[in-house]
Amino acid sequence: MLVVEDEPLIRMATIAFIEEIGLVGTGAANGEQAMSILRNDSDIGVLLTDLGLPGMTGYELIEEALRLKPDLKLS
């Protein structure tokens, strides 16, 4: 699961929770970083994103991510 959140403490806490329930979490601080991770990590099947990101908004990230990976699950 890719967690996209610009606030580091929220991102780290969310990843910790995800890992506590047995999933693998990866973090990104913004949309550009998230897209780079999605391009290079074929194992990511779920995207959890903040909508109010700097630069690329969460909505824009979702659109680009689904173009790249149409089967990506969103949360």
Side-chain angles (χ1 to χ4, degrees), residues 1-3 38 43-49 62 65-66 69-75:
M1 178 180 287
L2 177 57
V3 176
L38 287 170
D43 291 335
I44 294 177
V46 180
L47 172 65
L48 172 64
T49 185
I62 289 167
L66 288 174
K69 292 185 169 193
D71 294 333
L72 189 67
K73 305 292 184 241
L74 304 173
S75 180

Side-chain angles (χ1 to χ4, degrees), residues 8-72:
L9 291 177
I10 296 172
R11 184 174 60 248
M12 290 186 309
T14 304
I15 292 169
F17 173 74
I18 288 166
E19 291 178 345
E20 280 182 30
I21 62 172
L23 301 173
V24 176
T26 301
N30 57 53
E32 290 180 16
Q33 187 179 38
M35 287 305 299
S36 177
I37 292 169
L38 287 170
R39 284 185 199 98
N40 294 303
D41 189 341
S42 61
D43 291 335
I44 294 177
V46 180
L47 172 65
L48 172 64
T49 185
D50 180 7
L51 297 177
L53 297 170
M56 178 188 299
T57 69
Y59 295 109
E60 293 168 332
L61 170 59
I62 289 167
E63 287 179 15
E64 284 198 36
L66 288 174
R67 275 190 222 109
L68 179 67
K69 292 185 169 193
D71 294 333
L72 189 67

